[in-house]
Amino acid sequence: MFSRLARPQNLAALAGALRNFSTTTACNNKVAVLGASGGIGQPLSLLLKHNAAITQLALYDIAHTPGVACDLSHIETGSEVKGYLGDAELGACLEGCDVVVIPAGVPRKPGMTRDDLFNTNASIVRDLVKACTQHCPTAFLLLVTNPVNSTVPIASEVCKAAGTYDPGRVIGVTTLDVVRANTFVANLKGLNPAEVNVPVVGGHAGKTIIPLISQATPSVEFDPETLDNLTKRIQDAGTEVVNAKAGAGSATLSMAYAGARFTNSLLAALNGKEGVIECGFIKSSETESSYFSTPLLLGKNGIEKNLGLGKLSDFETKLVEDAMDELKGSIAKGEKFASQ
């Protein structure tokens, strides 16, 4: 049902696909990663270094970015990598950016929810987005920092206050939920995960994560108990990783992969590739929630069309209903923070 960029089946294939990336038009894109020295930022920057559509890769953090940039600059791809360190260099990092990916913030630890991260990460996102409004006001802002259900509204309100807001350019990256759903469904059905696509809508935390397994391609069916358990596993997969790492971090590598996938898809569409579809958390009128993740058709101008929810099963309709209070509360919390 949903077309998209072909997904490589392993890291070597991913590297080869990105090195050989080409489009119908010349590519000259500057991409910044804010939080590039962190657990997500480093592998994310590594994956983006392989994309030939990125001519300048600007890496920012409060520590270690010169070393990270030097390390990545030795990789045999064409993009120029430069590290920027601290507040004094943030503006130079952002000047001329087409896309800014923001994974900056503290990770989850065992026993923490994404919402527990709010007080620290909300301030980080607010300040970084404010700098974006000053130095790259037309850039696409891709929010990875949790809680995404709140940080996207924060970013939007900051842009509104600066007079630079374009709702189609502030996007929460929920791709990891799609990646997980594809993998878990494929494992249960003995399919190749690279050939499975499960749209995931709603938000990016707990029960706001709503996999639309009835719309999966290829079509799959599960008995009610298996479907319920599968849905809960997709919703709680982040906690699964946090617990498995036993205090050593959260989902960094898979999140880096998912962030690179969305960024690469957006760049491919901006540079002329047609039929690129990814799910993303954006300002929306699809439901009673003012922000909602749905499949998005990407094109030369960014989001060409919100493809909406499609036909839901009764089970999925109930999931959407059950997610609303939590989702609206997280959005309101973000908007209130930004207005202070």
Side-chain angles (χ1 to χ4, degrees):
M1 180 178 179
F2 299 117
S3 61
R4 61 192 173 192
L5 289 176
R7 285 181 285 125
Q9 298 179 29
N10 54 52
L11 185 58
L14 175 62
L18 295 180
R19 285 181 65 186
N20 294 326
F21 175 81
S22 62
T23 64
T24 57
T25 59
C27 301
N28 184 27
N29 302 117
K30 181 178 179 181
V31 175
V33 178
L34 307 186
S37 297
I40 296 172
Q42 288 200 43
L44 171 60
S45 299
L46 170 63
L47 292 172
L48 294 178
K49 178 68 170 77
H50 287 283
N51 189 338
I54 300 174
T55 49
Q56 298 180 69
L57 183 60
L59 308 182
Y60 171 82
D61 215 317
I62 59 174
H64 309 307
T65 35
V68 174
C70 179
D71 196 357
L72 289 179
S73 71
H74 293 181
I75 293 173
E76 55 182 355
T77 60
S79 57
E80 176 188 356
V81 184
K82 186 172 181 180
Y84 298 85
L85 189 64
D87 291 344
E89 298 183 3
L90 178 56
C93 172
L94 294 172
E95 289 292 340
C97 279
D98 301 289
V99 177
V100 178
V101 191
I102 307 179
V106 297
R108 272 206 296 166
K109 297 179 180 179
M112 292 178 66
T113 66
R114 289 182 179 87
D115 204 48
D116 290 332
L117 304 175
F118 181 88
N119 289 336
T120 298
N121 287 354
S123 298
I124 292 171
V125 168
R126 177 197 60 203
D127 295 345
L128 291 176
V129 171
K130 184 176 180 180
C132 291
T133 67
Q134 296 167 346
H135 299 284
C136 54
T138 63
F140 288 88
L141 306 183
L142 307 185
L143 278 298
V144 174
T145 305
N146 276 316
V148 167
N149 293 355
S150 297
T151 57
V152 171
I154 289 171
S156 297
E157 293 303 310
V158 171
C159 290
K160 288 177 185 177
T164 64
Y165 182 55
D166 179 344
R169 291 177 180 263
V170 181
I171 306 171
V173 178
T174 60
T175 314
L176 182 52
D177 300 320
V178 176
V179 168
R180 287 167 167 161
N182 294 343
T183 301
F184 299 165
V185 167
N187 290 345
L188 286 173
K189 290 298 185 180
L191 300 170
N192 181 349
E195 297 175 355
V196 175
N197 184 33
V198 181
V200 180
V201 302
H204 185 57
K207 67 181 181 181
T208 71
I209 299 169
I210 304 166
L212 302 184
I213 295 171
S214 72
Q215 298 180 25
T217 52
S219 180
V220 294
E221 292 185 2
F222 297 98
D223 63 74
E225 181 179 0
T226 302
L227 178 62
D228 186 58
N229 289 336
L230 172 60
T231 299
K232 289 177 180 175
R233 188 185 178 202
I234 295 166
Q235 292 174 330
D236 296 334
T239 301
E240 181 179 316
V241 176
V242 169
N243 291 339
K245 289 190 174 182
S250 58
T252 53
L253 301 177
S254 53
M255 185 63 247
Y257 169 85
R261 172 178 151 174
F262 189 95
T263 305
N264 292 330
S265 291
L266 176 60
L267 289 170
L270 292 174
N271 287 296
K273 186 174 180 66
E274 297 182 350
V276 179
I277 295 173
E278 292 284 359
C279 293
F281 186 69
I282 63 169
K283 186 71 174 176
S284 174
S285 59
E286 293 296 320
T287 69
E288 62 187 81
S289 174
S290 56
Y291 291 82
F292 205 81
S293 181
T294 44
L296 308 171
L297 176 64
L298 305 176
K300 291 183 177 181
N301 298 310
I303 299 173
E304 298 289 343
K305 185 178 182 181
N306 187 334
L307 300 178
L309 290 169
K311 184 178 180 180
L312 303 181
S313 68
D314 292 343
F315 177 75
E316 292 159 354
T317 298
K318 182 67 162 53
L319 291 176
V320 172
E321 293 172 354
D322 291 345
M324 280 300 147
D325 285 347
E326 180 178 331
L327 191 52
K328 290 191 288 187
S330 296
I331 293 166
K333 186 174 183 178
E335 291 176 334
K336 181 179 179 181
F337 175 87
S339 68
Q340 295 174 346

